[in-house]
Amino acid sequence: MPVSEQPPPAEPQSATGRVAPASRRGDRGEPPPSRCRRRPRLPRFTAPPPGARVAIVGVLVVVAAVCYLLLFIRGSFQFAFDRRLTTLGTMVVVAFAHAIATVVFQTVTSNRILTPSIMGFDSLYVMMQTAMVFVFGGSALARTDGLPKLVVQTVLMVLFAVLLYRWLFAGRFANLHLLLLVGVVLGLAFESLSSFLQRLLSPTDYDMLSVRLFGRMSNSDGSYLPLAFAVCLVVGAVVWHRRHRLDTLLLGRDTSVGLGVDHKRELTVLLVLVAVLVAFATALAGPMTFFGFLVATLAYQLTGTHEHRHVLPMAFLLGLFTLVAGQFLMQHVFYAAGFLTVIIEFVGGIVFLVLLLRKGTL
Amino acid sequence: MIQFSDLHKAYQGDTVLGPVTGAIEKGGITSIVGPNGAGKSTLLTMMGRLLDPTGGRVTIEGRDVFTTKSREMAQQLSILRQENQFTARLRVRELVAFGRFPHSQGRLTEDDHRHVGEALEFLSLTQLADRYLDQLSGGQRQRAYVAMVLAQDTDYVLLDEPLNNLDMKHSVLMMRQLRRAADELGRTIVLIIHDINFAAAHSDRIMALRDGEIVTTGTIPEIMRDEVLTDVFDTPVSVLEVDGRPVAVYYS
């Protein structure tokens, strides 16, 4: 989307505020007359300010949510409504967790390509699930479903992240690139281990497992939601409190330290929060590798500013809109509700590759 | 006054600086000169608390830069590194506004906007204020960085090669602006300069480093002498007088 990056061309009828750029342009020694003989054109579309853009996406989310909740209900209203409300709640948690985690992660690691998934999170989740089926059989997955398992999985994943960060930041190798590299290597190791174990499974067990290894919005358990919301609220409040500090982190370590930010502390706190969010979302709705990347990238493009007080809500709302509108369309237009996450991953993966090829570096 | 004692930095046992002991007086411009690998940047970044020393301490007006709260330090000392890579696409005004972060924590007040405006004005950036950094030339960008550091409104300003990327004209302009900052705004400016003649023409004091040691510190007449410069740069240097100014000649 074209963001107005240059001052709008000075039109003769423009108000007082618009006159200034024209005279400035003259001062810079660039030829102003060439602009005057342009063909008359339609009133130029000026991009709305960041706040308005967030509000627009917010309205879209509300519309999509209302459509999703109320349209195409056949049979019992109460039953369908309750079920959809649960799914919507899950989507809110997933969108929030992935969007916020990805934006924060990309800010503190000073890159716009890598996401928390690259730190081996998804692979760890896959390995935990696989190991469980391998040891206890496929039926164990269903038997142990419940709050305790969710909490244990989350704690394990956060523990993994915190140990990794602490080990790497406390030691002699206080180096973000090394941390990322270790994350990638561990991720690969978990993945290889998982695929090895999966080969040894019986076809039935493997079938039951594979259902778990793709993101699923529609069949998550509503009883987790209050806890999930509480976690999101707490983490969200902490991140929101740090929104200006996050802005300075965009300038890199040295500049942010120069501006009085305790960089090491911020980094640790924020990475742990990222770990909590991703771990929780993954345990709740399965791994989604490229979803966070997709919405964060879109948010940077559409917000038109670097400020986190706009980018963070934008990323969350875009994520939510993608999920709700996507689910609505898939369910009622294409009759393929289960494929939503597959499609999001597919699109996200392609965007990821395109950006990676275009930039050529991380 | 910036004081450092037994300041020492080593990577995997290889000493790159020190131990050095010394001080930078309050007021005026102090240039740090020396050949490549002398430890200039190491010394400057440690004074600016961006790099943890292997040993020793640095104090500014008696306060330890590494143990004082980072935010308080940022109101007294600002530092600009040589390379600046930002993840986000920023406008000049937004970048300079970041300089106010130590004072406002991101919520800009009237006073902050005034400081930002003054810093832009000071470096003649007012007309470029709404441009993105990537739309500027290297020299304009360098000025924008310096404007951010000046907007921070600190008594001490440390600059690592502020003349990097600048041509002759802009180097002179930059040095004049820094001179004004020192004289009119009362800042204490410490900078690393490669060109000894620039250092001599625009600074009050010169600190010369070689092989991780401080060879000498002194005023311009004390440093701009054949034997001192020849010793520091390990190259035959003769100092001539041109228009009443000492000029080092070292191309032969």
Side-chain angles (χ1 to χ4, degrees), chain A residues 212-236:
Chain A
R212 297 300 173 110
L213 298 185
F214 251 106
R216 63 210 132 71
M217 294 299 134
S218 43
N219 56 354
S220 71
D221 191 338
S223 59
Y224 302 155
L225 282 179
L227 179 66
F229 273 117
V231 169
C232 285
L233 269 179
V234 171
V235 174

Side-chain angles (χ1 to χ4, degrees), chain A residues 5 15 23 30 52 63 75 87 104 115-116 123 137 152 170 175 189 205 210 320 325 334 348 355:
Chain A
E5 281 152 6
S23 60
E30 287 163 26
V63 171
T87 309
V104 169
T115 68
S123 328
V152 167
N175 181 339
D205 284 350
S210 61
L320 190 54
F334 299 109
L355 268 191

